[in-house]
Amino acid sequence: MDVIKTQQISPRPIEKVIVHPLVLLSIVDNYNRVAKDTRKRVIGVLLGTSFKGTVDVTNSYAVPFEEDEKDPSIWFLDHNYHESMFSMFKRINAKEHVVGWYSTGPKLRENDLDIHRLFHNYVPNPVLVIIDVQPKELGIPTKAYYDVEEVKENATQKSQKVFVHVPSEIAAHEVEEIAVKHLLRDVKDTTISTLATEVTGKLTALKGLDARLREIRGYLDLVIDEKLPLNHEILYHLQLN
Amino acid sequence: MVLEATMICIDNSEWMRNGDYGPSRFQAQADAVNLICGAKTQSNPENTVGVLTMAGKGVRVLVTPTSDLGKILACMHGLEIGGEMNLAAGIQVAQLALKHRQNKKQQQRIIVFAGSPVKHEKKTLEMIGKKLKKNSVTLDIVNFGEDDEGKTEKLEALLAAVNNNDTSHIVHIPAGPNALSDVLLSTPIFTGDGEGGSGFAASAAAAAAGGISGFEFGVDPNLDPELALALRVSMEEERARQEAAAKKAAEESSKQEKGGEEQDATMTERASEGASEADNKKNEFLALAMSMDEPASSQDLQDTEMSDAAAEDPELALALQLSVQDSAKDSSSQADMSKLLADQSFVSSILASLPGVDPNNPSVKEVLASMQSQSEPRQKQDEDKAPKEEDKK
């Protein structure tokens, strides 16, 4: 019998993460200023509100961050800077708290758990959002995670923290939508819709669906080959749909 | 007054519980850190200091470089001891923190307190040292606490790799009665700061010594310059007076020795008695000298009063100086007179000791009478002496 790691099916503290376009813009600007053509990444703080499991990220700012490329355990984040910056932001909008932090990844790195632990001092359940500033594939560029304590079946090892993915979406207030539309006018004019544009739209949607189906198929193949452990929750979702 | 950004790496490992320094190693270290922070911020108001811990759960930056002394002192509070020190990681994180200093003109410096055994290889430390040197970061190492095999060598190797024109230092502090911070005060870590830093260090030493002031006379010239000046002047005058008295005593004692030798030569059988006589005479000479001193000392008191007044008026000071010179001449002449007296009385006593000379000789009496009135008690003593000597003869 395989040892099955059970995952919690209980309600999670964070169900959904909503990222506003302003946040995306400022993160991209940060990246362009600091680490455009390097392999370094930038890190910053996310501000927003959290209500009944939904985290609404409305604002952000960068913080000075350095890490050693060769040794990931060597990193420095200026938390005095963060504290002074946050106190200034609080005076503008008292409702925005620290909800987590962002990284330009583009993927998770080893010291992310340590940095996440630092943010536990400021907010009980911080969320990490990885923004891919140069996306090569379709879909939204954000990926959100938060950490849970994972208790191993064999109690010899200390319980570790593990990142758990959480669905994210891009949404905006009405005022923000107007601003985004205004900016996009140079990029793409959505008012004019010809047959060509509609067909292109359908094509991209189908491409997205195809990519997701391939991913599911790949996952099931791996489970059959017993390369990945069986996960009841995922199968439940698949069967439901 | 070098413009510097400093990162202090604190060792809060388990080895810091040991009590061989001060109340505990950790406390001694904390005091030393406070002292360094104060000295750095005083020597240049734009200096920044940051603190990080090397042990515990891992390298953690407590305070990023700031010139706010209160923040630094506050973060030292409530630090926990535990874990093992990670020297390499600590120095590297300190370097990263210094990279982000706000004023790029500040010179980068790391001060490391190495109290527990160093588990890194010498090579690793040397590589780190070279990297620091490349980024022109200077390193100060305070080696205290545990001293296991190779620790001193490793630290010396690290220093050698970092050192550039002798700007980096290492200090070895053995356990002892002196507090860690006091010993540090005298090291180049403090004195390398320059005059401003040492000024703070001197006042800190004054406070640390507890009662014994670092400044003369227990008065801080910064707080009360006039009082300090007055005390200094009176001290100098007292010193001058004592020197003059010492000179007289020295001359008298040298003559005493000469007289003593002659007496011994003449009265070899009564060597001890001769010595006792010499002692008596010495006392008499000293009494004479002190009586001479009294008029001189009264002059000195007047001098101090006058000098206090002179502090305010330079012209008056000039006049006073001239008068002091005159009085000095007077006192010196008085000294000469006393020497003469001593000479005369001494000669008379020698004459008395010599066979064939009668002190009661009227001619000798006349000579003695021709001296100043102050010699009268002297004469009586001589006359008392003379019959004694006659008896001895």
Side-chain angles (χ1 to χ4, degrees):
Chain A
M1 268 302 269
D2 305 311
V3 174
I4 302 166
K5 273 192 284 193
T6 50
Q7 274 199 334
Q8 48 191 149
I9 311 183
S10 52
R12 300 160 183 204
I14 300 178
E15 303 270 338
K16 191 165 68 164
V17 172
I18 302 174
V19 181
H20 285 240
L22 174 65
V23 173
L24 293 175
L25 184 64
S26 68
I27 294 173
V28 170
D29 166 66
N30 179 15
Y31 177 78
N32 286 341
R33 268 186 290 117
V34 176
K36 180 123 199 237
D37 293 316
T38 66
R39 289 180 53 205
K40 289 208 275 193
R41 61 170 169 161
V42 288
I43 280 191
V45 174
L46 293 172
L47 304 173
T49 51
S50 162
F51 181 67
K52 277 197 185 155
T54 306
V55 176
D56 198 15
V57 182
T58 50
N59 210 342
S60 70
Y61 56 86
V63 289
F65 174 76
E66 279 296 327
E67 60 185 346
D68 191 19
E69 280 158 30
K70 293 172 198 112
D71 187 358
S73 64
I74 308 254
W75 56 270
F76 162 72
L77 194 138
D78 192 345
H79 52 87
N80 286 126
Y81 177 98
H82 152 59
E83 275 160 25
S84 1
M85 202 59 156
F86 178 55
S87 65
M88 287 194 277
F89 267 97
K90 199 142 181 72
R91 294 160 76 158
I92 306 172
N93 187 347
K95 273 194 274 195
E96 280 183 350
H97 327 286
V98 176
V99 290
W101 57 291
Y102 69 80
S103 153
T104 54
K107 299 223 177 349
L108 282 173
R109 298 205 191 180
E110 291 138 12
N111 45 10
D112 282 356
L113 268 173
D114 297 327
I115 303 172
H116 204 81
R117 207 179 319 135
L118 180 67
F119 278 92
H120 266 286
N121 296 333
Y122 301 105
V123 61
N125 225 330
V127 73
L128 158 62
V129 178
I130 302 239
I131 313 276
D132 191 1
V133 283
Q134 287 160 344
K136 291 168 189 63
E137 56 199 27
L138 296 169
I140 52 174
T142 61
K143 272 200 209 92
Y145 303 92
Y146 68 98
D147 65 345
V148 285
E149 196 92 25
E150 185 184 76
V151 183
K152 299 256 195 253
E153 287 290 325
N154 43 350
T156 50
Q157 283 177 329
K158 231 168 39 164
S159 76
Q160 275 188 332
K161 292 253 179 182
V162 171
F163 274 126
V164 174
H165 185 261
V166 106
S168 54
E169 59 182 52
I170 314 270
H173 298 307
E174 200 181 301
V175 284
E176 287 173 323
E177 283 187 18
I178 296 169
V180 170
K181 245 188 246 176
H182 196 85
L183 286 171
L184 283 180
R185 228 175 256 176
D186 292 329
V187 181
K188 187 173 75 168
D189 199 351
T190 51
T191 51
I192 310 167
S193 70
T194 63
L195 195 62
T197 48
E198 275 185 43
V199 168
T200 348
K202 284 232 168 25
L203 200 60
T204 35
L206 281 170
K207 266 199 201 140
L209 182 62
D210 178 52
R212 282 174 191 56
L213 284 171
R214 276 181 208 281
E215 214 179 294
I216 292 171
R217 189 190 155 167
Y219 169 73
L220 288 171
D221 283 336
L222 286 170
V223 169
I224 291 167
D225 292 338
E226 291 184 8
K227 286 199 191 119
L228 278 182
L230 197 60
N231 192 322
H232 291 286
E233 223 180 272
I234 297 174
L235 295 177
Y236 169 75
H237 280 300
L238 286 173
Q239 284 180 338
L240 204 57
N241 295 330
Chain B
M1 293 273 207
V2 184
L3 184 58
E4 259 188 351
T6 312
M7 275 304 286
I8 303 183
C9 303
I10 298 182
D11 182 2
N12 60 333
S13 60
E14 284 288 348
W15 280 267
M16 291 300 112
R17 285 191 208 273
N18 202 334
D20 53 358
Y21 291 82
S24 81
R25 282 185 189 170
F26 186 69
Q27 270 299 337
Q29 208 187 175
D31 291 338
V33 170
N34 292 344
L35 211 58
I36 295 179
C37 294
K40 294 280 178 193
T41 40
Q42 268 224 349
S43 76
N44 188 329
E46 287 190 19
N47 276 354
T48 55
V49 182
V51 176
L52 64 82
T53 54
M54 292 194 281
K57 286 208 196 98
V59 175
R60 194 162 66 100
V61 177
L62 298 171
V63 178
T64 50
T66 168
S67 49
D68 183 3
L69 192 60
K71 216 189 222 174
I72 300 164
L73 298 179
C75 85
M76 292 292 300
H77 240 20
L79 274 181
E80 289 183 357
I81 301 179
E84 272 186 23
M85 171 179 82
N86 188 347
L87 186 65
I91 296 180
Q92 285 172 309
V93 174
Q95 193 195 346
L96 291 180
L98 284 173
K99 229 201 241 181
H100 277 280
R101 65 196 184 286
Q102 288 188 321
N103 184 355
K104 297 293 174 197
K105 287 218 167 65
Q106 286 169 329
Q107 162 68 22
Q108 303 173 67
R109 179 176 286 273
I110 302 178
I111 301 181
V112 175
F113 282 85
S116 44
V118 175
K119 60 181 192 283
H120 301 274
E121 293 292 323
K122 204 152 109 164
K123 259 209 165 354
T124 333
L125 294 176
E126 275 176 4
M127 273 179 24
I128 294 175
K130 285 202 199 98
K131 203 157 60 138
L132 288 179
K133 189 161 159 181
K134 201 165 64 147
N135 293 325
S136 69
V137 179
T138 51
L139 179 67
D140 288 331
I141 308 174
V142 179
N143 180 12
F144 70 109
E146 293 293 318
D147 188 21
D148 65 339
E149 358 59 53
K151 181 186 180 197
T152 320
E153 278 174 40
K154 288 180 189 169
L155 294 177
E156 294 274 358
L158 174 61
L159 184 83
V162 177
N163 209 346
N164 181 10
N165 281 344
D166 208 18
T167 46
S168 306
H169 319 98
I170 183 167
V171 184
H172 306 275
I173 303 181
N178 305 326
L180 188 68
S181 24
D182 292 339
V183 178
L184 266 183
L185 279 169
S186 56
T187 62
I189 293 180
F190 263 103
T191 55
D193 293 355
E195 308 85 35
S198 55
F200 179 84
S203 63
I212 307 164
S213 55
F215 300 109
E216 282 181 303
F217 321 123
V219 173
D220 186 350
N222 295 333
L223 294 173
D224 201 345
E226 290 165 357
L227 183 57
L229 182 68
L231 287 169
R232 205 183 307 140
V233 168
S234 65
M235 183 62 138
E236 281 168 8
E237 280 164 8
E238 175 66 37
R239 220 177 280 147
R241 190 156 53 86
Q242 278 180 359
E243 272 167 25
K247 248 188 252 165
K248 284 180 217 153
E251 284 170 3
E252 283 151 13
S253 64
S254 63
K255 280 175 205 144
Q256 193 71 40
E257 284 167 6
K258 275 190 238 159
E261 281 169 35
E262 286 175 349
Q263 285 185 344
D264 287 341
T266 53
M267 298 190 293
T268 48
E269 305 122 25
R270 302 184 195 106
S272 56
E273 284 167 17
S276 64
E277 276 176 15
D279 281 342
N280 285 338
K281 288 204 175 75
K282 209 192 243 175
N283 292 336
E284 286 155 18
F285 293 146
L286 279 175
L288 199 59
M290 280 198 284
S291 64
M292 284 285 97
D293 272 345
E294 271 158 36
S297 64
S298 63
Q299 283 254 335
D300 280 347
L301 282 169
Q302 286 167 5
D303 287 349
T304 48
E305 286 161 34
M306 288 195 287
S307 66
D308 281 342
E312 286 134 12
D313 199 344
E315 284 177 289
L316 191 55
L318 260 174
L320 281 170
Q321 268 184 355
L322 290 170
S323 65
V324 163
Q325 276 171 6
D326 291 337
S327 66
K329 275 188 216 152
D330 287 343
S331 57
S332 62
S333 62
Q334 281 178 352
D336 288 339
M337 283 304 292
S338 64
K339 276 183 215 163
L340 204 60
L341 264 173
D343 250 345
Q344 290 281 11
S345 52
F346 205 78
V347 164
S348 64
S349 60
I350 289 168
L351 289 170
S353 65
L354 285 172
V357 176
D358 194 358
N360 290 328
N361 204 328
S363 60
V364 176
K365 270 194 181 169
E366 277 173 11
V367 168
L368 289 173
S370 68
M371 304 246 187
Q372 287 184 3
S373 57
Q374 286 170 348
S375 65
E376 274 180 356
R378 193 73 207 97
Q379 275 179 334
K380 286 183 195 154
Q381 286 169 355
D382 279 344
E383 285 169 0
D384 290 337
K385 275 269 150 106
K388 255 195 255 173
E389 281 162 16
E390 276 186 324
D391 291 340
K392 276 166 201 162
K393 278 189 216 159

